[in-house]
Amino acid sequence: MSHPVLLVIAHGSRDPRHAATVHALTQRVRAVRPGLRVETAFLEFNAPSVPRVLERLAAEEADEVIALPLLLTRAFHAKTDIPSVLREARARLPRLHIRQADVLGPSPLLNATLGRRLREAGVRPGDLPRTGLVLASAGSSDPEAIAVIAEIARELRHTGWCAVRPAFASASLPRTEDAVRALRAEGAERVAVAPYVIAPGRLPDRIAAGAEAAGADVLADVLGPAPELARLLLERYDEARALVGASLSA
């Protein structure tokens, strides 16, 4: 029996760096698991679209697809947009079995990726006790997504940082610059900003601008095509595949 196709669904962006980063990540996934077919699709702005990829897979007589949202929290896109697109595809392509995998976060592998990017930006283990960390996410109006970011910030506080504050580039407060200034006011000697976003674009640029405006000492890169993130995609794929097997044997 062939393995289900892994379809990675990214949001998409007018910024060309976004799609380039997504493709670099999926290429890393292919390198980790060479026998797995990995396809990439976007909800908007970039091609190919999700419906077009699914139509192509159906035309090629693929049997199963595991659609993996390239999202860090369960917000609007994971709860509404992607399920709607997949529901329409199932109606049009009844022979193609499509299952939606879970979102990526929260996960220790995401925290490990954050750590990698902070180390690459110059943060050393000995710096943590005098350094405040801003965990800067894209932002959401979904309370569940906001609560997840706040909980990750609380977890990171126990890994050695003198303080950790969440921040948001849109929809929620505080903004990155406000979180940086709050940490300074609390006595942090240094402040590092870690973007909790996968690929470059408008909102990550807003995070970077806020960090610069408030005088943050360190700005880490976006998560990008890190090896830990590639492993996490495969972990979510395997989880969804195991559920498929369990349902078939039930």
Side-chain angles (χ1 to χ4, degrees):
M1 181 182 297
S2 61
H3 299 312
V5 176
L6 170 57
L7 173 59
V8 177
I9 302 179
H11 181 272
S13 171
R14 293 185 178 90
D15 188 323
R17 296 174 298 169
H18 175 91
T21 301
V22 172
H23 286 304
L25 176 59
T26 53
Q27 185 57 41
R28 185 179 283 275
V29 173
R30 293 186 188 98
V32 173
R33 194 170 294 182
L36 176 63
R37 180 171 180 179
V38 183
E39 298 285 345
T40 308
F42 299 89
L43 288 175
E44 54 185 342
F45 301 122
N46 302 105
S49 68
V50 179
R52 297 293 83 78
V53 174
L54 291 172
E55 288 166 5
R56 174 164 54 82
L57 290 172
E60 295 172 2
E61 299 186 349
D63 296 319
E64 295 181 68
V65 174
I66 291 176
L68 174 59
L70 197 63
L71 301 169
L72 300 177
T73 59
R74 292 191 72 254
F76 181 80
H77 295 304
K79 294 178 178 179
T80 303
D81 278 358
I82 292 176
S84 176
V85 170
L86 297 182
R87 190 163 49 246
E88 292 171 4
R90 291 186 189 101
R92 289 184 293 103
L93 309 166
R95 293 186 64 256
L96 184 63
H97 182 78
I98 305 168
R99 179 179 290 269
Q100 181 176 334
D102 202 358
V103 296
L104 299 178
S107 168
L109 287 169
L110 286 172
N111 294 354
T113 307
L114 282 171
R116 170 186 290 274
R117 296 305 182 217
L118 285 160
R119 290 191 300 275
E120 291 171 350
V123 176
R124 299 292 175 258
D127 299 332
L128 270 60
R130 60 191 182 92
T131 304
L133 175 67
V134 176
L135 180 70
S137 79
S140 172
S141 58
D142 188 296
E144 179 184 351
I146 297 303
V148 166
I149 300 301
E151 179 58 29
I152 294 169
R154 284 191 290 270
E155 290 176 1
L156 290 172
R157 173 66 183 84
H158 298 295
T159 60
W161 302 94
C162 73
V164 181
R165 280 180 170 261
F168 307 93
S170 68
S172 309
L173 295 174
R175 295 288 182 256
T176 302
E177 53 269 36
D178 298 326
V180 171
R181 293 177 181 125
L183 287 169
R184 294 276 193 217
E186 292 170 5
E189 294 181 31
R190 303 175 77 241
V191 177
V193 174
Y196 192 66
V197 291
I198 293 174
R202 178 176 57 88
L203 295 180
D205 284 350
R206 189 178 295 174
I207 291 170
E212 181 178 1
D217 300 282
V218 174
L219 173 64
D221 201 356
V222 297
L223 301 177
E228 296 88 352
L229 195 54
R231 285 170 51 203
L232 179 54
L233 265 66
L234 289 169
E235 188 174 285
R236 293 291 182 258
Y237 169 85
D238 290 336
E239 291 168 354
R241 189 179 175 207
L243 287 174
V244 173
S247 64
L248 290 175
S249 61

PDB file of all heavy atoms in Angstrom, residues 7 24 26 34 38-39 54 68 77 79 101 103 109 118 121 130 140 152 165 190 192 218 220 222 238 244:
ATOM      1  N   LEU A   7       0.288  16.874   1.832  1.00  0.00           N
ATOM      2  CA  LEU A   7       0.024  18.162   1.206  1.00  0.00           C
ATOM      3  C   LEU A   7       0.184  19.247   2.266  1.00  0.00           C
ATOM      4  O   LEU A   7      -0.638  19.361   3.180  1.00  0.00           O
ATOM      5  CB  LEU A   7      -1.389  18.210   0.617  1.00  0.00           C
ATOM      6  CG  LEU A   7      -1.838  19.570   0.070  1.00  0.00           C
ATOM      7  CD1 LEU A   7      -0.910  20.049  -1.046  1.00  0.00           C
ATOM      8  CD2 LEU A   7      -3.282  19.512  -0.406  1.00  0.00           C
ATOM      9  N   ALA A  24      11.474  25.766   0.688  1.00  0.00           N
ATOM     10  CA  ALA A  24      12.707  25.259   1.293  1.00  0.00           C
ATOM     11  C   ALA A  24      12.397  24.281   2.423  1.00  0.00           C
ATOM     12  O   ALA A  24      13.086  23.261   2.585  1.00  0.00           O
ATOM     13  CB  ALA A  24      13.545  26.428   1.810  1.00  0.00           C
ATOM     14  N   THR A  26       9.579  22.375   2.727  1.00  0.00           N
ATOM     15  CA  THR A  26       9.057  21.116   2.184  1.00  0.00           C
ATOM     16  C   THR A  26      10.161  20.314   1.493  1.00  0.00           C
ATOM     17  O   THR A  26      10.137  19.078   1.520  1.00  0.00           O
ATOM     18  CB  THR A  26       7.888  21.366   1.219  1.00  0.00           C
ATOM     19  OG1 THR A  26       8.285  22.308   0.209  1.00  0.00           O
ATOM     20  CG2 THR A  26       6.693  21.941   1.960  1.00  0.00           C
ATOM     21  N   PRO A  34      12.785  10.425   1.946  1.00  0.00           N
ATOM     22  CA  PRO A  34      12.810  10.429   0.487  1.00  0.00           C
ATOM     23  C   PRO A  34      11.661   9.667  -0.172  1.00  0.00           C
ATOM     24  O   PRO A  34      11.270   9.992  -1.285  1.00  0.00           O
ATOM     25  CB  PRO A  34      14.161   9.783   0.152  1.00  0.00           C
ATOM     26  CG  PRO A  34      14.985   9.954   1.382  1.00  0.00           C
ATOM     27  CD  PRO A  34      14.035   9.894   2.521  1.00  0.00           C
ATOM     28  N   VAL A  38       5.653  14.744  -1.240  1.00  0.00           N
ATOM     29  CA  VAL A  38       5.284  15.961  -0.528  1.00  0.00           C
ATOM     30  C   VAL A  38       4.909  17.028  -1.547  1.00  0.00           C
ATOM     31  O   VAL A  38       5.695  17.347  -2.447  1.00  0.00           O
ATOM     32  CB  VAL A  38       6.439  16.470   0.355  1.00  0.00           C
ATOM     33  CG1 VAL A  38       6.003  17.710   1.139  1.00  0.00           C
ATOM     34  CG2 VAL A  38       6.924  15.383   1.301  1.00  0.00           C
ATOM     35  N   GLU A  39       3.708  17.560  -1.430  1.00  0.00           N
ATOM     36  CA  GLU A  39       3.226  18.633  -2.298  1.00  0.00           C
ATOM     37  C   GLU A  39       2.998  19.887  -1.458  1.00  0.00           C
ATOM     38  O   GLU A  39       2.768  19.811  -0.238  1.00  0.00           O
ATOM     39  CB  GLU A  39       1.916  18.232  -2.983  1.00  0.00           C
ATOM     40  CG  GLU A  39       2.037  17.023  -3.893  1.00  0.00           C
ATOM     41  CD  GLU A  39       2.723  17.348  -5.213  1.00  0.00           C
ATOM     42  OE1 GLU A  39       2.842  18.561  -5.533  1.00  0.00           O
ATOM     43  OE2 GLU A  39       3.120  16.406  -5.925  1.00  0.00           O
ATOM     44  N   LEU A  54      -5.090  19.310  -5.395  1.00  0.00           N
ATOM     45  CA  LEU A  54      -5.929  18.142  -5.138  1.00  0.00           C
ATOM     46  C   LEU A  54      -6.513  17.591  -6.436  1.00  0.00           C
ATOM     47  O   LEU A  54      -6.602  16.360  -6.618  1.00  0.00           O
ATOM     48  CB  LEU A  54      -7.032  18.496  -4.158  1.00  0.00           C
ATOM     49  CG  LEU A  54      -6.553  18.774  -2.717  1.00  0.00           C
ATOM     50  CD1 LEU A  54      -7.683  19.315  -1.871  1.00  0.00           C
ATOM     51  CD2 LEU A  54      -5.965  17.510  -2.093  1.00  0.00           C
ATOM     52  N   LEU A  68      -1.808  19.081   5.652  1.00  0.00           N
ATOM     53  CA  LEU A  68      -1.186  19.583   6.870  1.00  0.00           C
ATOM     54  C   LEU A  68      -1.146  21.107   6.854  1.00  0.00           C
ATOM     55  O   LEU A  68      -0.425  21.709   6.051  1.00  0.00           O
ATOM     56  CB  LEU A  68       0.236  19.030   6.991  1.00  0.00           C
ATOM     57  CG  LEU A  68       1.096  19.557   8.124  1.00  0.00           C
ATOM     58  CD1 LEU A  68       0.447  19.293   9.471  1.00  0.00           C
ATOM     59  CD2 LEU A  68       2.484  18.938   8.078  1.00  0.00           C
ATOM     60  N   HIS A  77      -7.840  30.186  10.201  1.00  0.00           N
ATOM     61  CA  HIS A  77      -7.480  29.431   8.995  1.00  0.00           C
ATOM     62  C   HIS A  77      -7.579  27.926   9.232  1.00  0.00           C
ATOM     63  O   HIS A  77      -8.020  27.177   8.350  1.00  0.00           O
ATOM     64  CB  HIS A  77      -6.074  29.800   8.531  1.00  0.00           C
ATOM     65  CG  HIS A  77      -5.951  31.219   8.073  1.00  0.00           C
ATOM     66  ND1 HIS A  77      -6.743  31.752   7.084  1.00  0.00           N
ATOM     67  CD2 HIS A  77      -5.140  32.223   8.489  1.00  0.00           C
ATOM     68  CE1 HIS A  77      -6.418  33.018   6.895  1.00  0.00           C
ATOM     69  NE2 HIS A  77      -5.454  33.321   7.733  1.00  0.00           N
ATOM     70  N   LYS A  79      -9.446  26.422  11.591  1.00  0.00           N
ATOM     71  CA  LYS A  79     -10.790  26.010  11.991  1.00  0.00           C
ATOM     72  C   LYS A  79     -11.834  26.220  10.900  1.00  0.00           C
ATOM     73  O   LYS A  79     -12.854  25.521  10.884  1.00  0.00           O
ATOM     74  CB  LYS A  79     -11.222  26.802  13.230  1.00  0.00           C
ATOM     75  CG  LYS A  79     -10.424  26.501  14.479  1.00  0.00           C
ATOM     76  CD  LYS A  79     -10.906  27.382  15.634  1.00  0.00           C
ATOM     77  CE  LYS A  79     -10.168  27.089  16.918  1.00  0.00           C
ATOM     78  NZ  LYS A  79     -10.608  27.964  18.027  1.00  0.00           N
ATOM     79  N   ALA A 101      -4.599  17.101   8.927  1.00  0.00           N
ATOM     80  CA  ALA A 101      -3.751  16.883  10.097  1.00  0.00           C
ATOM     81  C   ALA A 101      -3.881  18.055  11.059  1.00  0.00           C
ATOM     82  O   ALA A 101      -4.448  19.103  10.731  1.00  0.00           O
ATOM     83  CB  ALA A 101      -2.294  16.714   9.662  1.00  0.00           C
ATOM     84  N   VAL A 103      -2.573  21.208  13.496  1.00  0.00           N
ATOM     85  CA  VAL A 103      -1.620  22.308  13.332  1.00  0.00           C
ATOM     86  C   VAL A 103      -0.309  21.950  14.031  1.00  0.00           C
ATOM     87  O   VAL A 103      -0.230  20.989  14.802  1.00  0.00           O
ATOM     88  CB  VAL A 103      -2.195  23.629  13.889  1.00  0.00           C
ATOM     89  CG1 VAL A 103      -3.433  24.046  13.098  1.00  0.00           C
ATOM     90  CG2 VAL A 103      -2.521  23.501  15.374  1.00  0.00           C
ATOM     91  N   LEU A 109       9.355  20.705  19.635  1.00  0.00           N
ATOM     92  CA  LEU A 109      10.192  20.932  18.455  1.00  0.00           C
ATOM     93  C   LEU A 109      10.145  22.393  18.004  1.00  0.00           C
ATOM     94  O   LEU A 109      11.130  22.916  17.474  1.00  0.00           O
ATOM     95  CB  LEU A 109       9.761  20.002  17.316  1.00  0.00           C
ATOM     96  CG  LEU A 109      10.144  18.541  17.507  1.00  0.00           C
ATOM     97  CD1 LEU A 109       9.447  17.652  16.471  1.00  0.00           C
ATOM     98  CD2 LEU A 109      11.654  18.353  17.436  1.00  0.00           C
ATOM     99  N   LEU A 118      17.609  31.742  18.225  1.00  0.00           N
ATOM    100  CA  LEU A 118      18.188  32.674  19.204  1.00  0.00           C
ATOM    101  C   LEU A 118      19.690  32.454  19.343  1.00  0.00           C
ATOM    102  O   LEU A 118      20.462  33.422  19.439  1.00  0.00           O
ATOM    103  CB  LEU A 118      17.482  32.510  20.545  1.00  0.00           C
ATOM    104  CG  LEU A 118      16.077  33.132  20.595  1.00  0.00           C
ATOM    105  CD1 LEU A 118      15.258  32.532  21.736  1.00  0.00           C
ATOM    106  CD2 LEU A 118      16.179  34.646  20.740  1.00  0.00           C
ATOM    107  N   ALA A 121      21.412  33.996  16.548  1.00  0.00           N
ATOM    108  CA  ALA A 121      21.430  35.456  16.662  1.00  0.00           C
ATOM    109  C   ALA A 121      22.408  35.952  17.719  1.00  0.00           C
ATOM    110  O   ALA A 121      22.581  37.163  17.887  1.00  0.00           O
ATOM    111  CB  ALA A 121      20.022  35.961  16.989  1.00  0.00           C
ATOM    112  N   ARG A 130      20.038  37.237  32.655  1.00  0.00           N
ATOM    113  CA  ARG A 130      19.914  38.693  32.621  1.00  0.00           C
ATOM    114  C   ARG A 130      19.205  39.190  31.360  1.00  0.00           C
ATOM    115  O   ARG A 130      19.226  40.375  31.069  1.00  0.00           O
ATOM    116  CB  ARG A 130      21.295  39.339  32.742  1.00  0.00           C
ATOM    117  CG  ARG A 130      22.269  38.949  31.638  1.00  0.00           C
ATOM    118  CD  ARG A 130      23.687  39.409  31.967  1.00  0.00           C
ATOM    119  NE  ARG A 130      24.617  39.085  30.889  1.00  0.00           N
ATOM    120  CZ  ARG A 130      24.915  39.912  29.901  1.00  0.00           C
ATOM    121  NH1 ARG A 130      24.378  41.121  29.850  1.00  0.00           N
ATOM    122  NH2 ARG A 130      25.776  39.547  28.958  1.00  0.00           N
ATOM    123  N   SER A 140      -3.759  37.011  16.568  1.00  0.00           N
ATOM    124  CA  SER A 140      -5.028  36.426  16.169  1.00  0.00           C
ATOM    125  C   SER A 140      -6.132  37.010  17.042  1.00  0.00           C
ATOM    126  O   SER A 140      -5.886  37.444  18.168  1.00  0.00           O
ATOM    127  CB  SER A 140      -4.983  34.899  16.332  1.00  0.00           C
ATOM    128  OG  SER A 140      -6.253  34.330  16.115  1.00  0.00           O
ATOM    129  N   ILE A 152       2.931  29.196  26.031  1.00  0.00           N
ATOM    130  CA  ILE A 152       4.308  28.940  25.583  1.00  0.00           C
ATOM    131  C   ILE A 152       5.262  29.913  26.257  1.00  0.00           C
ATOM    132  O   ILE A 152       6.365  29.538  26.692  1.00  0.00           O
ATOM    133  CB  ILE A 152       4.409  29.049  24.044  1.00  0.00           C
ATOM    134  CG1 ILE A 152       3.605  27.936  23.381  1.00  0.00           C
ATOM    135  CG2 ILE A 152       5.867  28.981  23.585  1.00  0.00           C
ATOM    136  CD1 ILE A 152       3.428  28.117  21.890  1.00  0.00           C
ATOM    137  N   ARG A 165       7.775  37.630  27.789  1.00  0.00           N
ATOM    138  CA  ARG A 165       6.490  38.263  27.510  1.00  0.00           C
ATOM    139  C   ARG A 165       6.037  37.921  26.092  1.00  0.00           C
ATOM    140  O   ARG A 165       6.840  37.981  25.156  1.00  0.00           O
ATOM    141  CB  ARG A 165       6.582  39.788  27.642  1.00  0.00           C
ATOM    142  CG  ARG A 165       6.525  40.296  29.080  1.00  0.00           C
ATOM    143  CD  ARG A 165       6.621  41.800  29.118  1.00  0.00           C
ATOM    144  NE  ARG A 165       6.343  42.304  30.457  1.00  0.00           N
ATOM    145  CZ  ARG A 165       5.172  42.791  30.851  1.00  0.00           C
ATOM    146  NH1 ARG A 165       4.164  42.831  29.998  1.00  0.00           N
ATOM    147  NH2 ARG A 165       4.999  43.252  32.080  1.00  0.00           N
ATOM    148  N   ARG A 190      19.244  42.893  29.138  1.00  0.00           N
ATOM    149  CA  ARG A 190      19.192  42.716  27.689  1.00  0.00           C
ATOM    150  C   ARG A 190      17.820  42.188  27.319  1.00  0.00           C
ATOM    151  O   ARG A 190      17.150  41.535  28.128  1.00  0.00           O
ATOM    152  CB  ARG A 190      20.274  41.728  27.204  1.00  0.00           C
ATOM    153  CG  ARG A 190      21.672  42.122  27.589  1.00  0.00           C
ATOM    154  CD  ARG A 190      22.688  41.072  27.190  1.00  0.00           C
ATOM    155  NE  ARG A 190      22.984  41.104  25.764  1.00  0.00           N
ATOM    156  CZ  ARG A 190      22.768  40.103  24.911  1.00  0.00           C
ATOM    157  NH1 ARG A 190      22.216  38.968  25.345  1.00  0.00           N
ATOM    158  NH2 ARG A 190      23.090  40.209  23.640  1.00  0.00           N
ATOM    159  N   ALA A 192      15.809  40.086  24.088  1.00  0.00           N
ATOM    160  CA  ALA A 192      15.841  39.366  22.813  1.00  0.00           C
ATOM    161  C   ALA A 192      14.416  39.193  22.306  1.00  0.00           C
ATOM    162  O   ALA A 192      13.493  38.970  23.089  1.00  0.00           O
ATOM    163  CB  ALA A 192      16.497  37.999  22.989  1.00  0.00           C
ATOM    164  N   VAL A 218      18.702  41.815  20.673  1.00  0.00           N
ATOM    165  CA  VAL A 218      18.810  40.658  19.783  1.00  0.00           C
ATOM    166  C   VAL A 218      17.482  40.471  19.060  1.00  0.00           C
ATOM    167  O   VAL A 218      16.417  40.556  19.684  1.00  0.00           O
ATOM    168  CB  VAL A 218      19.138  39.369  20.574  1.00  0.00           C
ATOM    169  CG1 VAL A 218      19.110  38.148  19.645  1.00  0.00           C
ATOM    170  CG2 VAL A 218      20.479  39.486  21.268  1.00  0.00           C
ATOM    171  N   ALA A 220      16.003  37.511  16.639  1.00  0.00           N
ATOM    172  CA  ALA A 220      16.209  36.220  15.988  1.00  0.00           C
ATOM    173  C   ALA A 220      15.509  36.185  14.639  1.00  0.00           C
ATOM    174  O   ALA A 220      14.615  37.010  14.348  1.00  0.00           O
ATOM    175  CB  ALA A 220      15.700  35.096  16.881  1.00  0.00           C
ATOM    176  N   VAL A 222      13.099  34.285  11.657  1.00  0.00           N
ATOM    177  CA  VAL A 222      11.880  33.476  11.672  1.00  0.00           C
ATOM    178  C   VAL A 222      12.266  31.995  11.758  1.00  0.00           C
ATOM    179  O   VAL A 222      13.421  31.620  11.539  1.00  0.00           O
ATOM    180  CB  VAL A 222      11.028  33.735  10.415  1.00  0.00           C
ATOM    181  CG1 VAL A 222      10.556  35.185  10.374  1.00  0.00           C
ATOM    182  CG2 VAL A 222      11.797  33.381   9.140  1.00  0.00           C
ATOM    183  N   ASP A 238       2.575  11.689  10.532  1.00  0.00           N
ATOM    184  CA  ASP A 238       2.502  10.329  11.073  1.00  0.00           C
ATOM    185  C   ASP A 238       1.326  10.175  12.031  1.00  0.00           C
ATOM    186  O   ASP A 238       0.676   9.122  12.072  1.00  0.00           O
ATOM    187  CB  ASP A 238       3.810   9.969  11.769  1.00  0.00           C
ATOM    188  CG  ASP A 238       4.961   9.778  10.793  1.00  0.00           C
ATOM    189  OD1 ASP A 238       4.700   9.481   9.611  1.00  0.00           O
ATOM    190  OD2 ASP A 238       6.121   9.934  11.218  1.00  0.00           O
ATOM    191  N   VAL A 244      -5.796   7.435  10.549  1.00  0.00           N
ATOM    192  CA  VAL A 244      -6.427   6.793   9.391  1.00  0.00           C
ATOM    193  C   VAL A 244      -6.414   5.282   9.575  1.00  0.00           C
ATOM    194  O   VAL A 244      -7.432   4.598   9.402  1.00  0.00           O
ATOM    195  CB  VAL A 244      -5.688   7.162   8.085  1.00  0.00           C
ATOM    196  CG1 VAL A 244      -6.236   6.347   6.918  1.00  0.00           C
ATOM    197  CG2 VAL A 244      -5.851   8.651   7.794  1.00  0.00           C
TER     198      VAL A 244
END
